[in-house]
Amino acid sequence: MKFASSYEPGDFEADIYAAWENSGVFRPAPYVEGEKAYSIVMPPPNANGNLHIGHGLTMAIEDSLVRYHRLRGESTWYFPGADHAGFETWVVYERNLEVTGHTRFEYSRDDLYAKVWNFVQEQRGNMEKQVRALGTSCSWDDMTFTLDEQVVRRVYKTFEQMWQDGMIYRGEKLVNYCPKHQTAFADIEVEHEDEKGKLWDIAYPFADGTGEVVVSTTRPETLFGDTAVAVNPSDSRYDGMIGAMLRLPLTDREIPLVADEHADPEYGTGAVKITPAHDYDDFEVGIRHDLPRIRVIDDSGLMTGCGEEYDGMTTAECRKLVLRNLKEMGLLRGEREIVHAVAHCYKCGTVIEPTLKEQWFVDVKRLADAAIREINADKIKFFPASKKKVLVNYLKGLKDWNISRQIPWGIAIPMFKLAEPGATLPDGTPAPDWVFDERTQLTEIERGGARYVRDEDTFDTWFSSSHWPIVCTDWEAQNTGAHDLNPYYPLNVMETGADILFAWVARMIMMGVYVTGEVPFREVYLHGLVLDEHGQKMSKSKGNVINPIELVSKYGSDAFRLGILRGRSAGMNQAFSEQSVVSGRNLCNKLWNVSRFIQQLVDENENGDETVHTFNAGEDWICREIDEARKLLEKQMKEYRFSEAVETLYGLLWDEYADWFVESQKIYKNVPLLKRTLEAVLVLMHPFAPFVTEAIWQNLSWTEGMIITASWPERLKYDPISAEEFEKIMEVVTEVRSTLTAIPGGKKWPMLYGDDSLVDDNQVLIQYLTRVPLVTSCEDQPRGIRVALANREVYLDVPEDVVAKYASALEERILAVGRELDGLNARMMNPRYVDKAPAALVEETRRAIEEKTALIERLKLERQAI
RNA sequence: GGUUCCAUAGCUCAGUUGGCUAGAGCGCACGAUUCACAUUCGUGAGGUCGCAGGUUCGAGCCCUGCUGGAACCACCA
């Protein structure tokens, strides 16, 4: 006997995964022109990291989809990946470096790159192992690392195209700058948090001594960078003063009072100091009024150019000193508590210093407009649908994208700067300041006789990862000529977390449309966050992090997948607990034991004793149920309704297959059908529980090949009338069971029946399922308690004294049926219902009324008898 | 300030063209058990579907308003 009495996932999973992987089934079946292909990419987990619960959900969803489509015979391609995770990895590495007493500034970029490369290689491997442990059936041969040569090549090509299209520019703009990591960020990488702060009022006297303007600010230390004070043009308090010069306290500079809409008369004093080099709004004001930009905070976050007294201080130290000095001078006029949003580095929490820097920007307008056009033309279907609006709304307001980072770990920006400004080419024309060149391994190149030096920045990781569908499907190589040569691009679906809709999904769409002219995927499924069992966000500091791999080793991969998908719907943040995994484990064990039992029956009947009989033991009924479940699953998979799909499978296996059909088959065995139906159930469950279904498939004596490449069940044939009949038997059984429990004493009583061929034909089955001691005809002499079945005469042979004890249960039953009947009657009495509702519905109501009326009459008779 | 989502049983959640008595798992109560499975089986209790209106023969579902929560975006000095 190959089947142990319970399913032990640890005994099978590793071997099964290896068998799948070695047999090559993870690779797509050769694509046949005109047939269906199915492609999906894995959002690449950090190459040197470990999987967290979100990855667990991603893999569960994606692999279920992939296995489902593979079973349906589609050429299915699931592309795995590993992310160099530019900034994330760099932060980890830099911390390690600091522990050894070194800093990044001791090394060249190329050295650092090599060091991090080695670091990642040493750390690498866990992630891939964990992806395998989750059962992910991706095509490992096509594993792509985000720093692989073909990725870099593709990114450079796009960048060059954008450069030529005039969409890339280098600009001195305010960028989000983290003084700790000393790099700039895109807007999306900055986290805003409401914080308590103070708003100070500071007097700026007029240069001519005729008075003063009091400004309100949260950042007094940036005063040294002020180049104007602005008031609202409509603010009558400042009539006639616009254009006057003010003396900037603590300095010997004079700055103008300007009128600008930016100043809100309602806020503070209505006057705002303008520091174009350190504030986004002020930068804009500065452009409007042609103001100079003075940097007073350097790249390390220290004060600079403010005079000896202040230079070299941190911003906090400087703020204190400035306030003290202003107070002594009598210029500090007020101070109040406020709450305002402060930007933080998403990695270290350091306050982001908006800083004036030269950076590479992508002019996103053209990209965003094209993306919006495709999205609005419904070229991409969103799950949940509401994300479409959210995304369009985001794209509409998108500002130019800063793509350069001052960290060494990443793809080098392929731009070189003219070494000697103003140099001319041999033909006398001025040499361009910047040239594109892919030879980023060189620090210096020569172009047209001029010398150029490499830009030391690297790309924002989202710039390269926005190419992911293009790179994974090798779009370029496949599409040199005609456009639709590659059946795997666009991807069928992009599955990822709703939290990176903007950072990643939006950019993939923009880039896909720009590079290929086509959206990169036809559907987007976004999952929500996995929260802890109390609905709290998981975090290390809260200590409520659940490790998916631990759950896998404790309960099995399938249990984890079933558990995490249970109750999961698109876009929703949802609580998750170990309990749901336990429930998944139980399901696997149930499936295992059903299979074990059926194998036993097969073994016992292997000598051809597979009699086909005339009794109805649910054969047609189970075929119908399996068929219905199959159709339902197909619909649910198409609509990404995982919660319901898992429900469907639970119901099919547990309630229908095991509790009714297999139970019934203990009386009348139809071995060929047991085999066929078990196969169908296994295949239907395979996408969600790949290991246990494969383990069973391998253990069963009659199955061939591997279930992973089996075929999705065909339509099962059944006689609908016979299926209905079994349902009637189920009704009898359920009602008898229920009545038995309602009778005080907890005893099983014999069952009697009147003139009833259905019961007559299925006596043995009914007796087995109800566990009554006897089922026999009452031969026109009914006695005992009549079971509440409308069109059937079924009795429990209970002595008079026990019948009397049943009275209260009967009374309750009469009331319940009465309430139902009242509801139905009320509906029927409404002439507009009869008039307007669909005829079939009205007819159904009519029939229900008839049935309930008959039932209640009989129950009342019964009551009288007692 | 803007956008979006959520509110259904004690808990976690399903519920998509509006249709019969609103479902599941867990938990709870009562009962069962000589072999496929205690990781089991049977029976049951528990919900005016956040509140107030509206549309409709009919609303958990559609519309309006309100209350309470969450997420994201945003330059508030």
Side-chain angles (χ1 to χ4, degrees), chain A residues 46 59 74 78 207 216 242 302 424-425 452 534 540 634 700 710 752 755 772 786 797:
Chain A
N46 189 339
M59 302 296 159
E74 297 167 24
Y78 185 12
S216 295
I242 306 302
L302 302 176
T424 53
L425 298 178
Y452 285 86
H534 306 295
K540 275 182 202 158
E634 288 169 6
L700 292 173
L752 303 173
D755 183 16
V772 295
R786 177 154 187 171
D797 193 1

Side-chain angles (χ1 to χ4, degrees), chain A residues 4-18:
Chain A
S5 66
S6 66
Y7 173 60
E8 299 301 333
D11 296 347
F12 297 94
E13 291 187 354
D15 290 346
I16 286 176
Y17 195 91

Side-chain angles (χ1 to χ4, degrees), chain A residues 156-170 360-361 414-416 432-437 447 514:
Chain A
Y156 283 178
K157 194 157 181 172
T158 302
F159 183 85
E160 183 180 20
Q161 194 184 338
M162 287 181 164
W163 174 246
Q164 284 165 0
D165 285 348
M167 295 161 68
I168 302 279
Y169 66 93
R170 187 162 176 87
W360 292 106
F361 287 89
M415 293 300 283
F416 289 75
D433 289 338
W434 289 92
V435 293
F436 169 89
D437 200 294
R447 277 278 282 272
Y514 177 71

Side-chain angles (χ1 to χ4, degrees), chain A residues 368-401:
Chain A
D369 285 351
I372 292 168
R373 204 162 47 238
E374 296 292 316
I375 295 167
N376 280 335
D378 290 326
K379 295 289 175 59
I380 299 174
K381 196 168 176 192
F382 288 83
F383 298 85
S386 60
K387 294 294 180 190
K388 173 184 164 181
K389 252 201 254 173
V390 177
L391 185 57
V392 169
N393 188 48
Y394 169 76
L395 287 170
K396 279 182 178 163
L398 196 57
K399 292 194 296 186
D400 285 357
W401 174 14

Side-chain angles (χ1 to χ4, degrees), chain A residues 170-471:
Chain A
R170 187 162 176 87
E172 185 178 64
K173 297 219 302 195
L174 276 184
V175 292
N176 306 299
Y177 188 82
C178 172
K180 161 119 176 54
H181 292 116
Q182 306 211 1
T183 179
F185 289 120
D187 295 340
I188 200 141
E189 291 169 304
V190 173
E191 282 178 0
H192 291 270
E193 260 177 73
D194 276 345
E195 278 181 11
K196 275 189 193 160
K198 282 184 178 165
L199 186 69
W200 288 278
D201 294 339
I202 300 168
Y204 283 30
F206 280 108
D208 60 10
T210 56
E212 62 185 28
V213 171
V214 180
V215 304
S216 295
T217 181
T218 53
R219 303 203 57 190
E221 72 278 12
T222 62
L223 167 155
F224 302 105
D226 288 2
T227 53
V229 169
V231 295
N232 195 284
S234 68
D235 195 336
S236 54
R237 288 175 291 182
Y238 303 99
D239 281 351
M241 303 180 195
I242 306 302
M245 297 306 281
L246 295 161
R247 174 157 297 282
L248 185 63
L250 312 180
T251 71
D252 51 9
R253 283 198 291 125
E254 288 183 6
I255 57 172
L257 182 68
V258 300
D260 195 281
E261 293 290 344
H262 163 61
D264 175 1
E266 305 292 317
Y267 193 91
T269 59
V272 56
K273 64 195 221 37
I274 301 299
T275 323
H278 294 288
D279 183 281
Y280 284 95
D281 288 329
D282 295 0
F283 183 79
E284 298 298 326
V285 175
I287 289 174
R288 288 198 284 273
H289 298 275
D290 199 20
L291 302 171
R293 300 164 193 160
I294 302 174
R295 262 192 81 170
V296 293
I297 302 169
D298 70 13
D299 285 353
S300 312
L302 302 176
M303 302 308 294
T304 181
C306 314
E308 266 179 42
E309 195 182 353
Y310 306 97
D311 282 354
M313 285 182 149
T314 66
T315 53
E317 289 163 353
C318 181
R319 177 179 299 179
K320 242 187 237 169
L321 185 58
V322 164
L323 287 169
R324 201 170 69 213
N325 289 344
L326 287 171
K327 195 169 184 182
E328 278 171 15
M329 294 165 71
L331 295 174
L332 189 60
R333 295 299 161 79
E335 175 181 319
R336 78 202 87 151
E337 301 269 342
I338 55 155
V339 172
H340 61 150
V342 179
H344 294 267
C345 170
Y346 78 107
K347 206 71 210 174
C348 67
T350 305
V351 173
I352 291 291
E353 205 61 66
T355 299
L356 201 58
K357 284 192 91 72
E358 282 223 337
Q359 299 279 306
W360 292 106
F361 287 89
V362 175
D363 175 359
V364 293
K365 184 146 187 7
R366 179 173 151 189
L367 292 174
D369 285 351
I372 292 168
R373 204 162 47 238
E374 296 292 316
I375 295 167
N376 280 335
D378 290 326
K379 295 289 175 59
I380 299 174
K381 196 168 176 192
F382 288 83
F383 298 85
S386 60
K387 294 294 180 190
K388 173 184 164 181
K389 252 201 254 173
V390 177
L391 185 57
V392 169
N393 188 48
Y394 169 76
L395 287 170
K396 279 182 178 163
L398 196 57
K399 292 194 296 186
D400 285 357
W401 174 14
N402 172 9
I403 53 168
S404 40
R405 298 290 176 275
Q406 292 75 53
I407 56 171
W409 184 234
I411 299 177
I413 292 186
M415 293 300 283
F416 289 75
K417 189 181 188 177
L418 186 62
E420 293 142 29
T424 53
L425 298 178
D427 63 6
T429 55
D433 289 338
W434 289 92
V435 293
F436 169 89
D437 200 294
E438 292 191 12
R439 291 172 293 168
T440 49
Q441 71 279 12
L442 304 175
T443 52
E444 209 178 293
I445 59 166
E446 179 266 317
R447 277 278 282 272
R451 215 160 50 79
Y452 285 86
V453 293
R454 183 177 71 182
D455 184 49
E456 292 296 288
D457 286 357
T458 51
F459 279 111
D460 173 10
T461 40
W462 297 116
F463 188 84
S464 51
S465 50
S466 57
H467 290 78
W468 200 236
I470 301 169
V471 172

